[in-house]
Amino acid sequence: MEFDADDIFRDDEDDPDNELYQERESTKDLVVYLVDASPKMFSTTTPAGDGKDETHFHVAISCISESLRKQIINASYDEVAICFFNTREKRNLQDLNGVYVFNVAEREYLDRPTARLIKEVSNVEESFMSKIGSQYGINSGSRENSLYNALWVAQALLRKGSARTADKRVLLFTNEDDPFGSIKGIIKTDMIRTTLQRAKDAQDLGISIELLPLCHPDNDFNVSTFYSDLVGLTGDELAQFMPKAGEKLEDMKDQLRKRMFKKRIVRKITFSIANGLSIQLSSYALIRPTVPGAITWLDSVTNRPLKAERSFVCADTGALVQESVKRFQPYKTEDIKFSVEELSEIKRISTGQLRLLGFKPLNCLKDYHNLRPSTFVFPSDQELIGSTRVFIALHKSMLRLKRFAVAFYGSSSRPQLVALVAQDEIMSAGGQVEPPGMHMIYLPYSDDIRHTEELLMGSDGAACHASDDQISKAAALINRLDLKDFSVFQFSNPALQRHYAVLQALALDEDDIPEIKDETLPDGEGMSRPGVVRTIEEFKHSVYGENYDEESEVGNAKVSETTKKRKAAAENAVQEIAKHDWADLADNGKLKNLTVMDLKCYLTANNLPVAGKKEALISRILTHMGK
């Protein structure tokens, strides 16, 4: 199998060392939604946004349903379980009373969310009383402790995975701040002790318990009565808990449909400093592109994911090739053979470590040196004890001397020089704003830096310069149109929003597709204000003159130029497609042997879209030919 020698050192976007593809291999979220189903959750109401009253149980279910819908977009590989306690019926692996683990067919108790799970959770209130039921699982007439049982079931569900590869959480929804209020004496003391011990055992196993209290506007939730000890709140945390819990609940109800990447470790890096001294660093991707989820091929009958397998058949004997495939490169009169392992070693320029080369003043680092989003690095003592101490010493010295470190980052796909810039901790009244650490900035190669383009020359050979009046009018226009407190995070991608809305409607069998507001469109109302219109006209007159007609002088020229280019491309495409017998190629399945440019020529000549991969182009051509 021949290979392209120039292809050996190409940038591989799907390389496993690439940070954008490390997310699934790093930690993931395992969440158990623990919902109180006692009669108080159904009798207590709170005003909804439309003025109608809704039960706290409805609020909890709405939050979970909305969270699951967004989770499929945010992190579809995270796993969840839904568990009700204080129930009449029971369903759990431990066969404990008062606990019901809600699930659907063909799904484990703790698994990825599915469309069927979301649909049935959204409608669980309709049949909850008849199929599951509600009752107080903690009362003076019984020694049953449904809260204890629920924590035990949640802990058992979260046994899956290790604490190093998964973030395990229990989200507890309740409106009862004193679950043992109806019990007195030593029985109450014993129940509280055992329940708190059960929570502590779960936390010792790396499971965090988060409380989402539900309360009526006229009846505050007193977290100090019991749950502060269960969750572990002390001091200032106790005073700030209720406002933050309310914000978290609102976030779950009103989440935006967008890709959200949590602050998870992307990969571990060994940082070699000098004389055999190395420390361990954890890297975090701060910003990454937002794209639709990967396509998963499903069986048309069972709707289960397909697993692709590839086999090589000998062209001479027709037998399956059992040995590993080898590639070759012609060299003079011989074919030089390479195994897959040998090609991997050829591509592997470095071992993937970070090696310190030296230091430079901060003023040597320019803005245009930052080619792509930086990576944030922080020390880790899990594998190399003492990494944090060495990192702190290096970090403080770099801040004091105003230096940045130059290092070689040996990624297998793109080895390059990087700059390590120390960032000091920034605090405010609300807490930490910026953490201490280092930003790893990827430095450009020499051919990555583009020289400034030549100035546009006038007819007399001299460079054109704006007059003082034009500059002042341009400055006034910019000041008038300046957006206050602008942030790119204020706007969502309308194409992705539409994509997610269509997917949701298809998966959940919804009749209507949610209306998507395009936030990237200009503010027509704001642009039509008299002050803005006047400033735009003044700028236009200062640059183009009083008698300038935009539509006649520029619009028609642009249209005619675009039309000429389109006609020329179509004529060229007609000439190119005449070189092939397209009907014969389609009948014999040989369209795949053509290049992408040949396929696009056919599509251009027939006024068809040319976007997509090669398979999509071939499918579009066959559809046009009626094959």
Side-chain angles (χ1 to χ4, degrees), residues 46-322:
T46 182
D50 55 2
K52 298 180 180 179
D53 287 343
E54 56 186 14
T55 65
H56 284 158
F57 186 81
H58 175 79
V59 173
I61 294 300
S62 299
C63 289
I64 295 173
S65 176
E66 194 65 24
S67 180
L68 293 180
R69 292 169 189 257
K70 302 307 178 283
Q71 183 178 333
I72 293 181
I73 299 172
N74 298 342
S76 60
Y77 46 89
D78 287 347
E79 300 180 10
V80 300
I82 301 173
C83 182
F84 301 106
F85 67 100
N86 285 327
T87 59
R88 183 184 68 246
E89 302 295 330
K90 62 179 179 179
R91 185 170 78 172
N92 54 82
L93 296 178
Q94 290 74 24
D95 197 33
L96 298 173
N97 292 327
V99 181
Y100 191 96
V101 180
F102 185 85
N103 202 14
V104 295
E106 299 180 357
R107 182 183 180 274
E108 298 180 8
Y109 280 161
L110 183 68
D111 206 344
R112 297 183 183 184
T114 62
R116 183 175 180 182
L117 176 68
I118 296 173
K119 290 174 62 177
E120 296 199 12
V121 166
S122 301
N123 301 322
V124 71
E125 291 179 85
E126 299 175 1
S127 59
F128 187 85
M129 287 302 180
S130 60
K131 293 184 178 180
I132 302 176
S134 172
Q135 67 178 15
Y136 289 107
I138 305 175
N139 52 63
S140 57
S142 171
R143 280 189 169 269
E144 285 293 340
N145 187 345
S146 58
L147 179 57
Y148 175 91
N149 294 345
L151 293 174
W152 191 355
V153 171
Q155 178 180 329
L157 290 171
L158 293 172
R159 287 176 182 172
K160 187 175 183 180
S162 65
R164 295 184 61 184
T165 59
D167 293 331
K168 303 180 181 183
R169 297 187 297 152
V170 175
L171 298 183
L172 177 59
F173 294 84
T174 183
N175 63 352
E176 180 58 77
D177 54 7
D178 187 8
F180 303 99
S182 61
I183 305 176
K184 306 296 181 182
I186 192 172
I187 297 178
K188 178 177 181 178
T189 304
D190 184 61
M191 281 191 172
I192 293 177
R193 179 185 59 80
T194 55
T195 304
L196 294 179
Q197 185 60 45
R198 172 56 59 189
K200 185 178 183 303
D201 292 343
Q203 292 164 346
D204 291 342
L205 294 174
I207 301 173
S208 64
I209 302 176
E210 301 178 21
L211 176 65
L212 292 171
L214 303 166
C215 57
H216 195 274
D218 299 332
N219 186 16
D220 293 335
F221 189 100
N222 188 358
V223 69
S224 303
T225 304
F226 169 74
Y227 282 104
S228 60
D229 295 330
L230 185 139
V231 179
L233 299 175
T234 58
D236 296 338
E237 295 178 347
L238 188 60
Q240 300 174 3
F241 173 76
M242 288 304 296
K244 290 184 178 180
E247 293 175 3
K248 185 183 298 182
L249 193 64
E250 288 300 319
D251 288 343
M252 292 184 66
K253 293 175 63 178
D254 303 323
Q255 289 183 78
L256 295 176
R257 185 185 285 107
K258 62 182 178 180
R259 290 282 288 172
M260 298 177 65
F261 296 94
K262 301 180 180 178
K263 295 179 181 179
R264 299 174 177 171
I265 298 175
V266 173
R267 64 176 307 181
K268 300 285 189 179
I269 303 176
T270 301
F271 185 22
S272 301
I273 299 179
N275 299 326
L277 176 63
S278 298
I279 62 176
Q280 195 78 24
L281 300 178
S282 299
S283 64
Y284 300 83
L286 302 181
I287 300 177
R288 61 188 69 183
T290 302
V291 295
I295 297 174
T296 301
W297 295 99
L298 304 176
D299 186 90
S300 59
V301 178
T302 62
N303 205 38
R304 293 185 176 180
L306 294 176
K307 180 181 180 182
E309 294 183 355
R310 182 175 62 176
S311 299
F312 292 94
V313 180
C314 179
D316 298 329
T317 64
L320 291 176
V321 179
Q322 302 295 334

Side-chain angles (χ1 to χ4, degrees), residues 16-36:
D17 287 337
N18 193 322
E19 293 173 352
L20 301 182
Y21 296 89
Q22 292 288 333
E23 184 76 17
R24 295 187 183 181
E25 301 300 327
S26 62
T27 57
K28 62 180 181 180
D29 260 358
L30 303 180
V31 180
V32 175
Y33 294 101
L34 206 57
V35 183
D36 186 359

Side-chain angles (χ1 to χ4, degrees), residues 460-477:
D460 56 352
C464 299
H465 295 281
S467 64
D468 294 338
D469 180 64
Q470 292 172 345
I471 294 175
S472 63
K473 292 295 191 299
L477 177 61

Side-chain angles (χ1 to χ4, degrees), residues 464-490:
C464 299
H465 295 281
S467 64
D468 294 338
D469 180 64
Q470 292 172 345
I471 294 175
S472 63
K473 292 295 191 299
L477 177 61
I478 293 175
N479 292 331
R480 173 68 69 175
L481 299 179
D482 185 30
L483 298 177
K484 304 300 181 183
D485 300 323
F486 170 79
S487 171
V488 294
F489 301 108
Q490 296 173 352

